[in-house]
Amino acid sequence: MELYTDLHSHAPDKASGTWLLLLPSFFATLRAEVIMMEFRKESGRIFATDETGKLLAEVTFPEREGVAVINHTFVDDSLRGQGVAGQLLRAVADTLRQDGRKARATCSYAIRWFQTHPEEQDLLEP
């Protein structure tokens, strides 16, 4: 089993950081938290568990007919809306690119992720 850490996920993006919000009677500071996940990588699967072994996040992409089929993305309810699924798909894209493989997205989240990341569309089979 190989440990996978996405370098892209370590640097805060433009949506992270500290903002000053103008409220009717005062200024308040809001800090966005960036969830850092340490992923483990197996053949056709990238995932994260907590210290007890509970599955927190997972993407599966078994190979069929020479193509990685991204067929399942899961994020525990406690982590939803925090960018974890995007980190998983980034890890898959990086893995596929490194291996010189193509993909077919059948999972609804993966389909949307590739639509919003046109720079990664070359990974999809024609």
Side-chain angles (χ1 to χ4, degrees):
M1 187 180 313
E2 178 183 337
L3 192 61
Y4 182 90
T5 303
D6 177 22
L7 293 177
H8 298 286
S9 66
H10 290 293
D13 63 12
K14 294 176 186 168
S16 300
T18 302
W19 296 276
L20 192 58
L21 301 176
L22 179 58
L23 300 175
S25 60
F26 62 95
F27 287 97
T29 301
L30 173 66
R31 178 169 165 74
E33 296 297 321
V34 176
I35 300 298
M36 303 309 295
M37 298 294 302
E38 195 169 293
F39 296 125
R40 289 186 280 168
K41 180 176 150 183
E42 296 177 343
S43 178
R45 180 181 186 222
I46 297 174
F47 65 102
T49 59
D50 69 10
E51 60 280 348
T52 68
K54 177 185 174 190
L55 183 65
L56 295 177
E58 169 184 60
V59 61
T60 57
F61 50 106
E63 188 161 319
R64 293 196 187 118
E65 300 173 3
V67 175
V69 179
I70 307 169
N71 61 2
H72 170 71
T73 304
F74 163 78
V75 175
D76 187 76
D77 288 341
S78 66
L79 297 172
R80 292 220 175 131
Q82 300 178 52
V84 175
Q87 290 179 40
L88 283 170
L89 266 292
R90 167 60 52 211
V92 170
D94 291 347
T95 298
L96 294 173
R97 191 169 301 288
Q98 180 180 14
D99 296 345
R101 296 168 56 203
K102 293 288 187 181
R104 177 182 319 124
T106 61
C107 162
S108 60
Y109 182 84
I111 291 168
R112 283 191 311 277
W113 189 87
F114 277 100
Q115 289 171 345
T116 60
H117 291 83
E119 72 280 6
E120 303 297 348
Q121 298 229 345
D122 64 305
L123 291 171
L124 297 175
E125 69 174 352

